Amino acid sequence: MQTHQFIQQLWFDYLHVTPQAKTIHLAFEAAGETLVNDHLAFRTFDQSPINLVMLEQHLLNMGYQHFEPYYFSDKHLNAWCYLPPEKGLPRIFFSELITAQLSEAAQQIIYKLIQEIPVEVVKRPAVFWAGRLWSMPCWHDYQTLLQESEYAAWLSVMGLRANHFTLSVNHLTQHKDLSAVLDRVEGLGIQLNQSGGRIKGSKETLLEQGATMADKMLMHFADGSEHLVSTCYYEFAQRHTDLSGQIYEGFVPASANHIFDSTSVLKT
Ligand code: NI
């Protein structure tokens, strides 16, 4: 599959569950901007047919290259950044949950879900926008996951898809910096992620990031109950050059840790 087509399919799926993305795009286009995607992100379960090693093969086949690994101890995640084969394509940030670090109860719930994954499905690039490859969990199980890993709870209902797209502030001509971008987004009535501050990172860390709070969607749980859950969000990134004049390509773990909170929901 052509990489541009791959990204476009992900974008269509993402728009479907993230109406704010369309609002944001239209607003920036109306302001005279051409939108470029800095990166997109995926979440998955380790120890499953859709773990990072299995899935990244598709990215490597498309010419993506490993850049840097990251570890988020408090969120129980490993992640990799992949650089694209050509300019104009987004970087990819891919994380996976370290299931063994959760409680026995949470592990059992996840084990039940991943057992339902059709093994064949991982062979096609379309697995990246397959969504949930298992039955919807019951509300009680979702709550159990939520108590220890918001990431696991999100993944249990949303499945595999782009978790967020990211507007590259560097490519804008009508907005001077990330702060101006976030002002416009807030002006649209869209709530921003305030975890760690409105802007995460700084010129000194070579990457400044902001994000919205995820859209919410009514979901039917296996026990018949209906609840609003977080779907996906939009991110904004401004990259700076290092002392040698090279644009910073990686991610800042402390900032990424706060960006993960964009899918936070109130625990009940
Ligand atoms: Ni991101």
Side-chain angles (χ1 to χ4, degrees):
M1 174 172 272
Q2 286 219 335
T3 314
H4 288 276
Q5 195 190 345
F6 175 78
I7 304 294
Q8 189 148 54
Q9 289 293 337
L10 289 162
W11 173 251
F12 290 147
D13 169 72
Y14 167 77
L15 276 185
H16 198 65
V17 293
T18 322
Q20 59 170 270
K22 178 130 199 197
T23 306
I24 291 168
H25 256 228
L26 290 175
F28 279 86
E29 276 172 1
E33 301 286 14
T34 302
L35 284 81
V36 173
N37 186 16
D38 179 89
H39 69 271
L40 56 92
F42 298 108
R43 298 177 171 189
T44 197
F45 291 123
D46 72 346
Q47 296 180 31
S48 76
I50 55 165
N51 67 20
L52 190 147
V53 168
M54 293 293 284
L55 286 172
E56 73 169 8
Q57 198 52 52
H58 291 293
L59 306 179
L60 301 176
N61 290 347
M62 283 184 268
Y64 272 90
Q65 293 188 338
H66 283 118
F67 183 62
E68 272 182 353
Y70 309 97
Y71 174 57
F72 302 92
S73 60
D74 63 325
K75 292 204 164 58
H76 315 294
L77 304 173
N78 278 316
W80 270 97
C81 166
Y82 303 83
L83 296 184
E86 59 183 85
K87 271 197 188 334
L89 286 169
R91 297 165 189 80
I92 290 178
F93 180 86
F94 196 172
S95 60
E96 72 176 356
L97 180 73
I98 308 164
T99 312
Q101 291 185 2
L102 302 187
S103 71
E104 193 60 37
Q107 287 188 50
Q108 285 303 323
I109 294 166
I110 292 167
Y111 182 64
K112 209 169 62 186
L113 301 179
I114 63 180
Q115 270 195 317
E116 291 183 40
I117 299 171
V119 178
E120 290 292 299
V121 80
V122 75
K123 291 183 180 166
R124 292 178 299 118
V127 68
F128 279 93
W129 56 90
R132 213 165 15 82
L133 294 161
W134 46 83
S135 320
M136 190 70 176
C138 66
W139 178 243
H140 180 265
D141 285 354
Y142 174 83
Q143 286 296 319
T144 302
L145 294 179
L146 195 57
Q147 296 308 317
E148 32 188 311
S149 167
E150 188 280 319
Y151 181 108
W154 183 90
L155 191 53
S156 76
V157 299
M158 294 301 292
L160 256 182
R161 52 174 21 111
N163 167 265
H164 61 271
F165 276 74
T166 310
L167 192 152
S168 167
V169 176
N170 296 61
H171 289 82
L172 300 179
T173 56
Q174 310 297 317
H175 297 76
K176 69 176 180 2
D177 56 17
L178 178 59
S179 185
V181 167
L182 296 179
D183 286 347
R184 180 172 297 273
V185 174
E186 274 191 310
L188 299 170
I190 294 171
Q191 199 191 343
L192 295 180
N193 170 337
Q194 303 288 351
S195 169
R198 195 170 90 126
I199 292 179
K200 299 128 196 24
S202 63
K203 204 165 178 203
E204 288 65 42
T205 65
L206 304 180
L207 175 62
E208 294 180 85
Q209 290 167 281
T212 65
M213 289 306 287
D215 275 320
K216 302 272 192 291
M217 194 175 266
L218 194 64
M219 295 267 200
H220 303 258
F221 284 79
D223 52 287
S225 63
E226 287 187 359
H227 302 274
L228 276 179
V229 298
S230 288
T231 59
C232 302
Y233 58 93
Y234 216 110
E235 193 190 310
F236 312 92
Q238 183 172 7
R239 295 181 182 272
H240 299 283
T241 49
D242 62 19
L243 291 173
S244 68
Q246 295 292 313
I247 195 113
Y248 182 70
E249 294 283 358
F251 291 92
V252 178
S255 301
N257 210 13
H258 290 300
I259 300 271
F260 279 118
D261 295 334
S262 289
T263 51
S264 284
V265 285
L266 281 179
K267 293 172 183 162
T268 57

